[in-house]
Amino acid sequence: MSQREWIEKDFYKELGVSSDASADEIKKAYRKLARDLHPDANPGDTKAEERFKSVSEAHAVLSDPAKRKEYDEARRLFASGGFGRGGFSPGAGGGFSQGGFDINDLFGGGGAAADGLGDLFGGLFNRGAGGGATRTSSRPRRGSDVETETTLEFREATLGVTVPLRLTSPLPCTTCHGSGAKPGTSPRVCPRCNGTGIVSRNQGAFGFSEPCDDCRGTGSIIDSPCEVCHGNGVTNRTRTITVRVPAGVSDGQKIRLAGQGEAGLRGAPSGDLFVTVRVRPDKVFGRNGDDLTVVVPVSYGELVLGTTVSVPTLEGRVGVKIPAGTADGRILRVRGRGVPKRGGGAGDLLVTVKIAVPQKLDDPAVDALKTYLEAEKASGFDPRAGWAGA
Ligand code: ZN
Ligand code: ZN
């Protein structure tokens, strides 16, 4: 009999009683039918024999209050299609196995798997019926991720650098190599949960899964714990790791180092280490994405006449030509001299020219400037010509 047949089978109808029949009514109905249909009373009658089996089956379930409750529950759920919550499994005591037929025969039947119901019941009932856990893999608890910070100089961050990081965090115990068991002993599989770390608790027709208390969800039991780590398999240790910071990293960026976080309990995988990079501002350079920015002070005369200025780069210096008549504040672009890019190449160097106004000049310079302003006016230059505020 497939599970669908079981659910769809009407045991009440088999016995000819209503679904709210009392225990007494069920008993009476069964006795009469059993007498009438008994093979001894109907030799050679296969039809009667079939009916006799069905009636016995129905009685086995309906005569037991707990089984009857489950059967009713299951049919009610089946009718409403409400199999969604938390799983469904037979109650404690091996489900229906005492009723003369075994739960595995009942639910192991073919045919129902095709409609999806088979999978559902197959998995759930196997677990509840004490036939051994279907899941054997234990669930080791992965170590936590660790976060830390490192501060880099501007040039270190833009060019890339290797920095040592000192960390204190749980690491696998060196005495027991992370197993948590005293050297020479080893943990054994938790008999209660069969190493799964999970147990099913049955409540009526429903089965709930919860972490196993005996092994605290780890799936294994340590009889003689390691004296150094007290059975945890991890100890706090300070270590120094070397972190290679790639070129072009910017302030606030995080670098992930897989497996460098906290060790997992009892040999479980380690977490990851996340390093937040802080970048100190530079006195000369600024950054705009992959472009490096720099401000170059120039004189008025240099902008008017044009010149070449020597500008610092990350790795040296570069001569930047300022054309005659360059406006104050203009940005000149030097290609490929900016911040190195991940995939190769580099951004640009953006040079901003900014006039430096002298606060103090000696007499010859002041005289020369006065003479110049006269000449400038004579040549027809008016700084406020075309100015909207004039
Ligand atoms: Zn356990
Ligand atoms: Zn240890």
Side-chain angles (χ1 to χ4, degrees):
M1 178 163 42
S2 77
Q3 40 270 69
R4 170 161 284 218
E5 279 165 349
W6 178 72
I7 299 284
E8 284 179 342
K9 202 154 205 167
D10 192 338
F11 289 153
Y12 293 104
K13 205 174 160 192
E14 289 290 352
L15 295 179
V17 296
S18 67
S19 59
D20 55 5
S22 69
D24 212 44
E25 286 174 284
I26 287 167
K27 199 162 123 190
K28 275 183 189 159
Y30 169 66
R31 277 193 183 158
K32 189 185 179 301
L33 284 166
R35 215 171 27 237
D36 294 346
L37 299 166
H38 200 279
D40 289 354
N42 305 274
D45 188 345
T46 52
K47 222 172 177 180
E49 200 183 321
E50 281 302 303
R51 280 277 290 136
F52 180 76
K53 276 185 188 165
S54 299
V55 165
S56 303
E57 201 174 70
H59 177 251
V61 172
L62 298 184
S63 63
D64 181 313
K67 288 178 208 162
R68 183 179 173 184
K69 202 174 155 226
E70 282 193 30
Y71 170 70
D72 289 343
E73 198 93 77
R75 273 167 57 89
R76 195 175 53 74
L77 279 171
F78 184 76
S80 64
F83 286 113
R85 46 183 287 220
F88 172 61
S89 69
F96 297 98
S97 56
Q98 294 139 322
F101 47 91
D102 189 81
I103 192 88
N104 292 319
D105 294 335
L106 193 59
F107 295 101
D115 58 21
L117 201 63
D119 291 333
L120 181 68
F121 281 95
L124 293 165
F125 275 91
N126 283 342
R127 260 196 314 170
T134 50
R135 290 178 45 238
T136 49
S137 63
S138 63
R139 275 192 187 166
R141 272 182 292 182
R142 180 182 174 272
S144 306
D145 293 336
V146 174
E147 294 223 18
T148 187
E149 222 179 80
T150 186
T151 302
L152 302 179
E153 296 301 328
F154 184 89
R155 283 165 214 234
E156 291 176 333
T158 47
L159 291 173
V161 67
T162 301
V163 289
L165 275 182
R166 237 174 109 78
L167 293 168
T168 301
S169 61
L171 283 180
C173 173
T174 48
T175 305
C176 64
H177 302 289
S179 76
K182 203 171 186 170
T185 71
S186 48
R188 62 187 165 93
V189 173
C190 173
R192 188 168 165 218
C193 63
N194 285 314
T196 60
I198 291 166
V199 289
S200 303
R201 183 164 56 84
N202 291 307
Q203 205 170 69
F206 298 99
F208 297 91
S209 292
E210 57 188 20
C212 175
D213 285 335
D214 290 12
C215 61
R216 289 184 298 158
T218 59
S220 59
I221 287 185
I222 294 167
D223 295 313
S224 16
C226 166
E227 278 157 13
V228 176
C229 64
H230 309 291
N232 287 324
V234 295
T235 50
N236 259 326
R237 284 214 308 273
T238 299
R239 65 197 156 127
T240 301
I241 61 164
T242 304
V243 180
R244 203 176 58 77
V245 180
V249 73
S250 53
D251 185 60
Q253 251 183 324
K254 273 187 187 180
I255 296 169
R256 177 172 166 268
L257 295 151
Q260 295 283 2
E262 282 189 16
L265 281 185
R266 298 186 197 170
S270 297
D272 298 336
L273 173 65
F274 290 91
V275 183
T276 303
V277 177
R278 295 285 161 213
V279 182
R280 282 207 187 95
D282 192 73
K283 283 179 186 141
V284 177
F285 298 112
R287 257 183 83 171
N288 187 3
D290 290 328
D291 292 336
L292 198 62
T293 61
V294 62
V295 176
V296 180
V298 289
S299 73
Y300 164 76
E302 284 175 328
L303 290 188
V304 175
L305 301 175
T307 187
T308 296
V309 289
S310 170
V311 176
T313 66
L314 287 171
E315 286 142 320
R317 301 192 74 85
V318 63
V320 178
K321 190 172 178 287
I322 298 170
T326 294
D328 181 44
R330 188 175 156 189
I331 297 167
L332 304 162
R333 184 181 290 267
V334 184
R335 296 212 179 272
R337 302 302 285 266
V339 179
K341 291 182 191 176
R342 271 223 183 134
D348 301 335
L349 176 67
L350 303 180
V351 181
T352 302
V353 292
K354 188 166 181 273
I355 290 177
V357 176
Q359 300 301 302
K360 220 170 79 183
L361 289 173
D362 60 9
D363 290 346
V366 172
D367 288 345
L369 201 52
K370 281 178 178 166
T371 309
Y372 165 76
L373 285 175
E374 291 297 319
E376 191 185 69
K377 197 181 272 177
S379 74
F381 178 73
D382 175 3
R384 287 169 287 282
W387 179 43

